[in-house]
Amino acid sequence: MGYKADTSLPVNDAIYDIAIIGGGPTGLFASFYAGMRNMKTLLIEAMPELGGQLTFLYPDKFIYDVPGHPKVLAKHLVENLVAQGLQFRPTVILGERVSNVVKLGEKLFMIETDKGRYYSKTIVICAGIGAISPRRLGIPEVERFEGKGLYYVVTNKWEFKDRRVMIVGGGDTAVDWALNLQNIAKKVTLIHRRGQFRAHEASVIELFHSNVEVMVPYVVKSAQGDSALRKVTVMNLDTNEEEIKEVDALIPCLGFIVDNTVLKKWGLEMEGQSLLVNGRMETNVAGIYGAGDIAHESGSVKLNLICVGFAQAAIAVNVAKNYIDPSSSYFPGHSSERRF
Ligand SMILES: Cc1cc2nc3c(=O)[nH]c(=O)nc-3n(C[C@H](O)[C@H](O)[C@H](O)COP(=O)(O)OP(=O)(O)OC[C@H]3O[C@@H](n4cnc5c(N)ncnc54)[C@H](O)[C@@H]3O)c2cc1C
């Protein structure tokens, strides 16, 4: 299985009992169960933050169908899942996308990301709808400032204190960040290619009553700087006139794209975009399991719901535990009878 290994990648010698690919709700719950079963755990997430679709696609929406939560904001559910999922201190790798999985021998896999190589006895694929990545501006002379003034994901808003910030986009993320940063940054400019905004009406009204400089219909044309971003050239789409703005940070909020095409290269049986698993969450490769949105259990109804992923994660991890150590039972015992 897998394709040829990339021998130029840095090697991490530790051998994990279980590697979880994807840090969405399913992967986070799998991480909790793996810890509860005393498994040496590795969690790899392509994005710089955990939470999957909840973090990147609908952080401020309420969810009503998670058991035990009559109503919970997606981002608050993620906070709790992270607290629960990381309590046994798994190794967490953020911002690395798994590109290849190679079976090296009985109960030993090599996992390659775009930045490194890891070893594990078992793997649970919780890749959801695929690796989430931000939609890019696609202008090479702007992209070169990534990490030096160009930010596709905001992880710490205080990083922008007293800086001149330009945000690009017309959706909720763009408008929310503009409003959020207006009292932290020295100046906030929001540019959008259209006069209409997709963001919630109330937020747009707030925007036009705020200190944020709103420029429509404008697009980013180029960027200038030295070791860091200093200026951004924007163009008015009505007049084609260009303007240079002095900017320390450019934050495009253009949505996200998802990609799960890499899975097909790992020799795993797929059905359409889904990874085929049986009732034990096993794939066609012994030692590799699937759970959550990515998985399709043959013969069952596929429901892409958080609660389904939780149950599948619990099954996958407990079956993996028994696979590594056949003397251990599938049943993990009741967590209520443990002291953590
Ligand atoms: C707008 C919206 C509203 C929703 N509302 C609800 C609701 O009310 N109730 C409900 O139950 N469900 C809801 N859902 C569905 C729910 O969000 C999903 O069922 C859930 O997120 C699936 O979790 P997951 O962990 O399986 O996958 P995801 O949340 O997709 O997480 C998968 C993670 O894996 C990572 N990943 C993928 N490939 C790789 C790779 N190669 N290497 C490293 N990392 C990788 C991704 O970056 C991602 O972070 C909603 C979905 C959307 C879009």
Side-chain angles (χ1 to χ4, degrees), residues 71-131:
K71 175 181 175 182
V72 60
L73 267 181
K75 64 183 176 192
H76 292 161
L77 181 63
V78 170
E79 277 170 23
N80 282 333
L81 283 166
V82 169
Q84 182 184 42
L86 305 192
Q87 66 185 292
F88 298 105
R89 303 195 174 278
T91 301
V92 181
I93 307 289
L94 295 178
E96 291 192 28
R97 181 181 162 171
V98 176
S99 52
N100 194 13
V101 168
V102 180
K103 184 165 181 141
L104 297 180
E106 184 67 9
K107 298 183 189 176
L108 186 62
F109 295 97
M110 180 174 70
I111 298 158
E112 284 179 353
T113 71
D114 40 355
K115 296 183 188 137
R117 195 181 287 161
Y118 307 90
Y119 296 93
S120 183
K121 295 176 188 169
T122 62
I123 297 173
V124 184
I125 300 176
C126 303
I129 49 175

Short mmCIF file of all heavy atoms in Angstrom, two decimals, residues 71-131:
data_model
loop_
_atom_site.label_atom_id
_atom_site.label_comp_id
_atom_site.label_asym_id
_atom_site.label_seq_id
_atom_site.Cartn_x
_atom_site.Cartn_y
_atom_site.Cartn_z
N LYS A 71 -28.11 22.95 23.56
CA LYS A 71 -27.73 23.97 22.59
C LYS A 71 -26.29 24.34 22.90
O LYS A 71 -25.96 24.65 24.05
CB LYS A 71 -28.65 25.17 22.82
CG LYS A 71 -28.37 26.40 22.01
CD LYS A 71 -29.39 27.49 22.41
CE LYS A 71 -29.05 28.78 21.72
NZ LYS A 71 -29.95 29.88 22.09
N VAL A 72 -25.41 24.26 21.92
CA VAL A 72 -24.01 24.60 22.20
C VAL A 72 -23.39 25.26 20.98
O VAL A 72 -23.63 24.84 19.83
CB VAL A 72 -23.20 23.35 22.65
CG1 VAL A 72 -23.18 22.26 21.58
CG2 VAL A 72 -21.78 23.70 23.04
N LEU A 73 -22.65 26.35 21.21
CA LEU A 73 -21.95 27.00 20.10
C LEU A 73 -20.84 26.06 19.62
O LEU A 73 -20.14 25.46 20.44
CB LEU A 73 -21.29 28.29 20.57
CG LEU A 73 -22.04 29.61 20.45
CD1 LEU A 73 -21.18 30.74 20.95
CD2 LEU A 73 -22.49 29.87 19.01
N ALA A 74 -20.66 25.97 18.31
CA ALA A 74 -19.66 25.04 17.78
C ALA A 74 -18.29 25.28 18.41
O ALA A 74 -17.60 24.35 18.82
CB ALA A 74 -19.59 25.18 16.25
N LYS A 75 -17.90 26.55 18.55
CA LYS A 75 -16.55 26.82 19.09
C LYS A 75 -16.46 26.43 20.57
O LYS A 75 -15.38 26.06 21.04
CB LYS A 75 -16.14 28.27 18.86
CG LYS A 75 -16.97 29.31 19.55
CD LYS A 75 -16.48 30.70 19.14
CE LYS A 75 -17.36 31.76 19.75
NZ LYS A 75 -17.12 33.09 19.18
N HIS A 76 -17.57 26.50 21.29
CA HIS A 76 -17.54 26.08 22.70
C HIS A 76 -17.47 24.56 22.82
O HIS A 76 -16.79 24.03 23.70
CB HIS A 76 -18.75 26.63 23.45
CG HIS A 76 -18.70 28.12 23.60
ND1 HIS A 76 -19.78 28.90 23.88
CD2 HIS A 76 -17.64 28.98 23.47
CE1 HIS A 76 -19.42 30.17 23.93
NE2 HIS A 76 -18.12 30.24 23.68
N LEU A 77 -18.14 23.88 21.90
CA LEU A 77 -18.04 22.41 21.89
C LEU A 77 -16.58 22.01 21.61
O LEU A 77 -16.04 21.10 22.25
CB LEU A 77 -18.99 21.81 20.84
CG LEU A 77 -18.99 20.29 20.76
CD1 LEU A 77 -19.49 19.67 22.07
CD2 LEU A 77 -19.87 19.79 19.60
N VAL A 78 -15.95 22.71 20.69
CA VAL A 78 -14.55 22.40 20.38
C VAL A 78 -13.66 22.61 21.60
O VAL A 78 -12.81 21.78 21.92
CB VAL A 78 -14.03 23.25 19.18
CG1 VAL A 78 -12.52 23.13 19.02
CG2 VAL A 78 -14.73 22.84 17.89
N GLU A 79 -13.90 23.70 22.33
CA GLU A 79 -13.08 23.96 23.54
C GLU A 79 -13.17 22.77 24.50
O GLU A 79 -12.16 22.31 25.04
CB GLU A 79 -13.61 25.20 24.26
CG GLU A 79 -13.07 26.50 23.69
CD GLU A 79 -13.81 27.73 24.27
OE1 GLU A 79 -14.40 27.63 25.37
OE2 GLU A 79 -13.78 28.74 23.57
N ASN A 80 -14.39 22.25 24.68
CA ASN A 80 -14.57 21.12 25.59
C ASN A 80 -13.97 19.84 25.02
O ASN A 80 -13.42 19.02 25.75
CB ASN A 80 -16.05 20.92 25.91
CG ASN A 80 -16.52 21.93 26.94
OD1 ASN A 80 -15.73 22.41 27.75
ND2 ASN A 80 -17.78 22.29 26.90
N LEU A 81 -14.13 19.65 23.71
CA LEU A 81 -13.55 18.45 23.08
C LEU A 81 -12.03 18.46 23.19
O LEU A 81 -11.41 17.41 23.40
CB LEU A 81 -13.96 18.37 21.60
CG LEU A 81 -15.39 17.90 21.35
CD1 LEU A 81 -15.79 18.18 19.90
CD2 LEU A 81 -15.50 16.40 21.62
N VAL A 82 -11.44 19.64 23.04
CA VAL A 82 -9.98 19.75 23.14
C VAL A 82 -9.55 19.44 24.58
O VAL A 82 -8.61 18.67 24.81
CB VAL A 82 -9.48 21.15 22.67
CG1 VAL A 82 -8.02 21.35 23.02
CG2 VAL A 82 -9.72 21.31 21.17
N ALA A 83 -10.26 20.01 25.55
CA ALA A 83 -9.91 19.77 26.96
C ALA A 83 -10.02 18.27 27.27
O ALA A 83 -9.16 17.69 27.94
CB ALA A 83 -10.83 20.57 27.87
N GLN A 84 -11.08 17.66 26.77
CA GLN A 84 -11.29 16.22 27.03
C GLN A 84 -10.29 15.37 26.23
O GLN A 84 -9.69 14.44 26.75
CB GLN A 84 -12.72 15.85 26.62
CG GLN A 84 -13.09 14.41 26.88
CD GLN A 84 -14.49 14.12 26.35
OE1 GLN A 84 -14.87 14.55 25.27
NE2 GLN A 84 -15.26 13.39 27.13
N GLY A 85 -10.11 15.74 24.96
CA GLY A 85 -9.31 14.91 24.05
C GLY A 85 -7.82 14.94 24.33
O GLY A 85 -7.11 14.01 23.97
N LEU A 86 -7.35 16.05 24.93
CA LEU A 86 -5.89 16.17 25.13
C LEU A 86 -5.49 15.91 26.57
O LEU A 86 -4.33 16.10 26.93
CB LEU A 86 -5.39 17.54 24.68
CG LEU A 86 -5.73 17.98 23.24
CD1 LEU A 86 -4.92 19.21 22.85
CD2 LEU A 86 -5.49 16.86 22.22
N GLN A 87 -6.43 15.47 27.42
CA GLN A 87 -6.10 15.36 28.84
C GLN A 87 -5.05 14.28 29.14
O GLN A 87 -4.36 14.37 30.15
CB GLN A 87 -7.35 15.14 29.69
CG GLN A 87 -8.04 13.83 29.46
CD GLN A 87 -9.34 13.76 30.27
OE1 GLN A 87 -9.29 13.70 31.49
NE2 GLN A 87 -10.47 13.76 29.60
N PHE A 88 -4.89 13.31 28.26
CA PHE A 88 -3.86 12.28 28.51
C PHE A 88 -2.55 12.61 27.79
O PHE A 88 -1.71 11.75 27.61
CB PHE A 88 -4.39 10.91 28.08
CG PHE A 88 -5.61 10.48 28.85
CD1 PHE A 88 -6.87 10.52 28.26
CD2 PHE A 88 -5.51 10.08 30.17
CE1 PHE A 88 -8.00 10.14 28.98
CE2 PHE A 88 -6.63 9.70 30.89
CZ PHE A 88 -7.88 9.73 30.30
N ARG A 89 -2.45 13.87 27.36
CA ARG A 89 -1.23 14.41 26.74
C ARG A 89 -0.73 13.63 25.52
O ARG A 89 0.40 13.14 25.50
CB ARG A 89 -0.11 14.52 27.78
CG ARG A 89 -0.51 15.36 28.97
CD ARG A 89 0.67 15.78 29.81
NE ARG A 89 0.24 16.70 30.84
CZ ARG A 89 0.06 18.00 30.65
NH1 ARG A 89 0.27 18.54 29.48
NH2 ARG A 89 -0.35 18.76 31.64
N PRO A 90 -1.55 13.51 24.51
CA PRO A 90 -1.06 12.91 23.27
C PRO A 90 -0.06 13.87 22.61
O PRO A 90 -0.03 15.05 22.96
CB PRO A 90 -2.33 12.82 22.41
CG PRO A 90 -3.18 13.96 22.89
CD PRO A 90 -2.91 14.06 24.37
N THR A 91 0.72 13.37 21.69
CA THR A 91 1.56 14.27 20.88
C THR A 91 0.64 14.87 19.81
O THR A 91 0.00 14.14 19.07
CB THR A 91 2.70 13.48 20.20
OG1 THR A 91 3.46 12.86 21.23
CG2 THR A 91 3.59 14.38 19.36
N VAL A 92 0.58 16.20 19.77
CA VAL A 92 -0.31 16.86 18.80
C VAL A 92 0.54 17.61 17.78
O VAL A 92 1.38 18.43 18.14
CB VAL A 92 -1.26 17.85 19.51
CG1 VAL A 92 -2.19 18.50 18.49
CG2 VAL A 92 -2.08 17.13 20.58
N ILE A 93 0.34 17.28 16.53
CA ILE A 93 1.06 17.94 15.45
C ILE A 93 0.05 18.76 14.67
O ILE A 93 -0.89 18.22 14.08
CB ILE A 93 1.71 16.90 14.50
CG1 ILE A 93 2.58 15.90 15.28
CG2 ILE A 93 2.48 17.58 13.38
CD1 ILE A 93 3.85 16.46 15.84
N LEU A 94 0.23 20.08 14.66
CA LEU A 94 -0.70 20.95 13.93
C LEU A 94 -0.02 21.48 12.67
O LEU A 94 1.20 21.65 12.63
CB LEU A 94 -1.12 22.12 14.81
CG LEU A 94 -1.93 21.78 16.06
CD1 LEU A 94 -2.23 23.04 16.86
CD2 LEU A 94 -3.24 21.09 15.68
N GLY A 95 -0.84 21.77 11.67
CA GLY A 95 -0.31 22.38 10.45
C GLY A 95 0.49 21.42 9.59
O GLY A 95 1.32 21.84 8.79
N GLU A 96 0.26 20.12 9.75
CA GLU A 96 0.93 19.14 8.88
C GLU A 96 -0.13 18.25 8.26
O GLU A 96 -0.98 17.69 8.96
CB GLU A 96 1.93 18.28 9.66
CG GLU A 96 3.12 19.08 10.11
CD GLU A 96 4.27 18.23 10.63
OE1 GLU A 96 4.42 17.07 10.21
OE2 GLU A 96 5.01 18.75 11.49
N ARG A 97 -0.05 18.12 6.98
CA ARG A 97 -1.05 17.34 6.26
C ARG A 97 -0.49 15.98 5.90
O ARG A 97 0.59 15.89 5.29
CB ARG A 97 -1.41 18.11 5.00
CG ARG A 97 -2.45 17.45 4.20
CD ARG A 97 -2.70 18.27 2.98
NE ARG A 97 -3.37 17.42 2.03
CZ ARG A 97 -3.88 17.83 0.92
NH1 ARG A 97 -3.78 19.08 0.58
NH2 ARG A 97 -4.48 17.00 0.13
N VAL A 98 -1.15 14.93 6.31
CA VAL A 98 -0.66 13.58 5.99
C VAL A 98 -0.82 13.35 4.48
O VAL A 98 -1.90 13.52 3.93
CB VAL A 98 -1.43 12.50 6.77
CG1 VAL A 98 -0.99 11.12 6.35
CG2 VAL A 98 -1.23 12.70 8.27
N SER A 99 0.31 13.00 3.85
CA SER A 99 0.28 12.84 2.39
C SER A 99 0.46 11.39 1.98
O SER A 99 0.16 11.01 0.86
CB SER A 99 1.36 13.70 1.76
OG SER A 99 2.60 13.42 2.37
N ASN A 100 0.97 10.57 2.91
CA ASN A 100 1.28 9.20 2.52
C ASN A 100 1.29 8.29 3.75
O ASN A 100 1.68 8.70 4.84
CB ASN A 100 2.66 9.16 1.85
CG ASN A 100 2.91 7.86 1.12
OD1 ASN A 100 2.00 7.07 0.91
ND2 ASN A 100 4.16 7.63 0.74
N VAL A 101 0.83 7.06 3.58
CA VAL A 101 0.90 6.06 4.64
C VAL A 101 1.50 4.81 4.02
O VAL A 101 1.04 4.35 2.98
CB VAL A 101 -0.51 5.76 5.20
CG1 VAL A 101 -0.49 4.54 6.08
CG2 VAL A 101 -1.04 6.96 5.98
N VAL A 102 2.56 4.29 4.65
CA VAL A 102 3.23 3.12 4.10
C VAL A 102 3.26 2.02 5.16
O VAL A 102 3.65 2.27 6.30
CB VAL A 102 4.70 3.47 3.70
CG1 VAL A 102 5.41 2.25 3.13
CG2 VAL A 102 4.74 4.61 2.71
N LYS A 103 2.84 0.82 4.80
CA LYS A 103 2.91 -0.30 5.74
C LYS A 103 4.32 -0.87 5.69
O LYS A 103 4.79 -1.33 4.65
CB LYS A 103 1.88 -1.37 5.35
CG LYS A 103 1.83 -2.49 6.35
CD LYS A 103 0.60 -3.36 6.19
CE LYS A 103 0.65 -4.44 7.26
NZ LYS A 103 -0.60 -4.74 7.85
N LEU A 104 5.03 -0.82 6.85
CA LEU A 104 6.42 -1.28 6.86
C LEU A 104 6.52 -2.74 7.26
O LEU A 104 7.50 -3.42 6.95
CB LEU A 104 7.25 -0.45 7.84
CG LEU A 104 7.38 1.04 7.52
CD1 LEU A 104 8.22 1.73 8.58
CD2 LEU A 104 7.99 1.26 6.15
N GLY A 105 5.53 -3.20 8.01
CA GLY A 105 5.56 -4.59 8.47
C GLY A 105 4.35 -4.85 9.31
O GLY A 105 3.44 -4.01 9.40
N GLU A 106 4.35 -6.00 9.98
CA GLU A 106 3.25 -6.36 10.86
C GLU A 106 3.13 -5.31 11.97
O GLU A 106 4.10 -5.03 12.69
CB GLU A 106 3.56 -7.74 11.46
CG GLU A 106 2.50 -8.35 12.33
CD GLU A 106 1.23 -8.72 11.56
OE1 GLU A 106 1.22 -8.66 10.31
OE2 GLU A 106 0.26 -9.07 12.23
N LYS A 107 2.00 -4.67 12.08
CA LYS A 107 1.73 -3.66 13.11
C LYS A 107 2.75 -2.52 13.11
O LYS A 107 3.19 -2.05 14.17
CB LYS A 107 1.65 -4.31 14.49
CG LYS A 107 0.52 -5.32 14.58
CD LYS A 107 0.36 -5.94 15.94
CE LYS A 107 -0.65 -7.08 15.85
NZ LYS A 107 -0.84 -7.82 17.06
N LEU A 108 3.16 -2.08 11.95
CA LEU A 108 4.03 -0.90 11.87
C LEU A 108 3.77 -0.14 10.56
O LEU A 108 3.97 -0.67 9.47
CB LEU A 108 5.51 -1.29 11.97
CG LEU A 108 6.46 -0.10 12.03
CD1 LEU A 108 6.20 0.76 13.27
CD2 LEU A 108 7.93 -0.55 12.02
N PHE A 109 3.34 1.14 10.76
CA PHE A 109 3.09 2.00 9.62
C PHE A 109 4.01 3.22 9.69
O PHE A 109 4.34 3.69 10.78
CB PHE A 109 1.65 2.52 9.62
CG PHE A 109 0.63 1.43 9.43
CD1 PHE A 109 -0.01 0.87 10.53
CD2 PHE A 109 0.31 0.98 8.16
CE1 PHE A 109 -0.96 -0.13 10.36
CE2 PHE A 109 -0.63 -0.03 7.99
CZ PHE A 109 -1.26 -0.59 9.09
N MET A 110 4.35 3.73 8.52
CA MET A 110 5.06 5.01 8.45
C MET A 110 4.06 6.02 7.88
O MET A 110 3.38 5.75 6.89
CB MET A 110 6.27 4.92 7.54
CG MET A 110 7.02 6.22 7.46
SD MET A 110 8.54 6.04 6.53
CE MET A 110 7.89 5.81 4.90
N ILE A 111 4.01 7.16 8.55
CA ILE A 111 3.06 8.21 8.13
C ILE A 111 3.89 9.41 7.69
O ILE A 111 4.70 9.92 8.47
CB ILE A 111 2.16 8.61 9.32
CG1 ILE A 111 1.35 7.39 9.76
CG2 ILE A 111 1.24 9.77 8.97
CD1 ILE A 111 0.86 7.49 11.18
N GLU A 112 3.67 9.85 6.48
CA GLU A 112 4.42 11.01 5.98
C GLU A 112 3.51 12.21 5.89
O GLU A 112 2.38 12.11 5.41
CB GLU A 112 5.00 10.72 4.60
CG GLU A 112 6.20 9.81 4.63
CD GLU A 112 6.74 9.51 3.24
OE1 GLU A 112 6.09 9.91 2.24
OE2 GLU A 112 7.79 8.88 3.16
N THR A 113 4.02 13.34 6.37
CA THR A 113 3.30 14.59 6.19
C THR A 113 4.15 15.46 5.27
O THR A 113 5.23 15.05 4.84
CB THR A 113 3.09 15.33 7.53
OG1 THR A 113 4.35 15.83 7.96
CG2 THR A 113 2.49 14.42 8.58
N ASP A 114 3.66 16.68 5.03
CA ASP A 114 4.46 17.60 4.21
C ASP A 114 5.71 18.05 4.94
O ASP A 114 6.61 18.63 4.33
CB ASP A 114 3.60 18.80 3.75
CG ASP A 114 2.67 19.32 4.85
OD1 ASP A 114 2.62 18.69 5.92
OD2 ASP A 114 2.01 20.34 4.62
N LYS A 115 5.82 17.76 6.27
CA LYS A 115 6.99 18.25 7.01
C LYS A 115 7.78 17.17 7.74
O LYS A 115 8.88 17.42 8.22
CB LYS A 115 6.56 19.29 8.03
CG LYS A 115 5.98 20.53 7.36
CD LYS A 115 5.61 21.59 8.37
CE LYS A 115 4.85 22.71 7.67
NZ LYS A 115 3.71 23.18 8.40
N GLY A 116 7.23 15.99 7.90
CA GLY A 116 7.94 14.98 8.69
C GLY A 116 7.41 13.58 8.48
O GLY A 116 6.51 13.34 7.67
N ARG A 117 7.98 12.67 9.27
CA ARG A 117 7.64 11.26 9.13
C ARG A 117 7.45 10.67 10.53
O ARG A 117 8.22 10.98 11.45
CB ARG A 117 8.83 10.57 8.46
CG ARG A 117 8.52 9.22 7.94
CD ARG A 117 9.75 8.63 7.32
NE ARG A 117 10.08 9.23 6.06
CZ ARG A 117 11.28 9.15 5.50
NH1 ARG A 117 12.26 8.53 6.11
NH2 ARG A 117 11.50 9.69 4.34
N TYR A 118 6.42 9.89 10.71
CA TYR A 118 6.07 9.35 12.03
C TYR A 118 5.79 7.85 11.90
O TYR A 118 5.44 7.38 10.81
CB TYR A 118 4.82 10.06 12.58
CG TYR A 118 4.98 11.57 12.59
CD1 TYR A 118 4.60 12.33 11.48
CD2 TYR A 118 5.54 12.22 13.67
CE1 TYR A 118 4.77 13.71 11.45
CE2 TYR A 118 5.72 13.60 13.67
CZ TYR A 118 5.33 14.33 12.56
OH TYR A 118 5.51 15.70 12.54
N TYR A 119 5.91 7.13 13.05
CA TYR A 119 5.68 5.68 13.01
C TYR A 119 4.59 5.31 14.02
O TYR A 119 4.55 5.82 15.13
CB TYR A 119 6.97 4.94 13.36
CG TYR A 119 8.04 5.19 12.32
CD1 TYR A 119 8.96 6.22 12.49
CD2 TYR A 119 8.09 4.43 11.16
CE1 TYR A 119 9.92 6.48 11.52
CE2 TYR A 119 9.04 4.69 10.19
CZ TYR A 119 9.94 5.71 10.38
OH TYR A 119 10.87 5.97 9.40
N SER A 120 3.74 4.40 13.62
CA SER A 120 2.67 3.98 14.53
C SER A 120 2.26 2.54 14.24
O SER A 120 2.37 2.06 13.11
CB SER A 120 1.46 4.92 14.35
OG SER A 120 0.46 4.58 15.27
N LYS A 121 1.77 1.89 15.31
CA LYS A 121 1.32 0.50 15.14
C LYS A 121 -0.06 0.44 14.49
O LYS A 121 -0.38 -0.52 13.80
CB LYS A 121 1.24 -0.19 16.53
CG LYS A 121 2.61 -0.33 17.18
CD LYS A 121 2.46 -0.91 18.57
CE LYS A 121 3.77 -0.87 19.31
NZ LYS A 121 3.63 -1.17 20.72
N THR A 122 -0.88 1.46 14.77
CA THR A 122 -2.22 1.51 14.16
C THR A 122 -2.52 2.95 13.75
O THR A 122 -1.86 3.89 14.21
CB THR A 122 -3.32 1.05 15.16
OG1 THR A 122 -3.32 1.95 16.26
CG2 THR A 122 -3.12 -0.36 15.64
N ILE A 123 -3.53 3.09 12.90
CA ILE A 123 -3.93 4.43 12.43
C ILE A 123 -5.46 4.50 12.45
O ILE A 123 -6.13 3.57 12.01
CB ILE A 123 -3.43 4.67 10.98
CG1 ILE A 123 -1.90 4.65 10.93
CG2 ILE A 123 -3.97 5.98 10.43
CD1 ILE A 123 -1.32 4.73 9.53
N VAL A 124 -5.97 5.62 12.95
CA VAL A 124 -7.41 5.87 12.79
C VAL A 124 -7.55 7.12 11.92
O VAL A 124 -7.05 8.19 12.28
CB VAL A 124 -8.13 6.11 14.13
CG1 VAL A 124 -9.63 6.26 13.88
CG2 VAL A 124 -7.90 4.96 15.09
N ILE A 125 -8.19 6.95 10.79
CA ILE A 125 -8.36 8.08 9.87
C ILE A 125 -9.68 8.78 10.21
O ILE A 125 -10.76 8.19 10.10
CB ILE A 125 -8.35 7.61 8.40
CG1 ILE A 125 -7.00 6.95 8.09
CG2 ILE A 125 -8.59 8.79 7.47
CD1 ILE A 125 -6.90 6.36 6.70
N CYS A 126 -9.55 10.03 10.68
CA CYS A 126 -10.73 10.83 11.04
C CYS A 126 -10.67 12.11 10.21
O CYS A 126 -10.72 13.22 10.74
CB CYS A 126 -10.71 11.19 12.54
SG CYS A 126 -10.61 9.77 13.63
N ALA A 127 -10.50 11.93 8.90
CA ALA A 127 -10.19 13.07 8.03
C ALA A 127 -11.42 13.84 7.57
O ALA A 127 -11.29 14.78 6.77
CB ALA A 127 -9.39 12.58 6.82
N GLY A 128 -12.59 13.48 8.07
CA GLY A 128 -13.80 14.27 7.78
C GLY A 128 -14.08 14.40 6.30
O GLY A 128 -14.04 13.44 5.54
N ILE A 129 -14.33 15.63 5.88
CA ILE A 129 -14.60 15.85 4.46
C ILE A 129 -13.30 16.08 3.71
O ILE A 129 -13.30 16.34 2.51
CB ILE A 129 -15.58 17.03 4.25
CG1 ILE A 129 -15.12 18.25 5.06
CG2 ILE A 129 -17.00 16.63 4.64
CD1 ILE A 129 -15.96 19.50 4.83
N GLY A 130 -12.17 15.98 4.42
CA GLY A 130 -10.86 16.13 3.78
C GLY A 130 -10.04 17.18 4.49
O GLY A 130 -10.52 17.82 5.42
N ALA A 131 -8.79 17.30 4.05
CA ALA A 131 -7.90 18.29 4.69
C ALA A 131 -8.44 19.68 4.37
O ALA A 131 -8.67 20.02 3.22
CB ALA A 131 -6.48 18.13 4.16
#
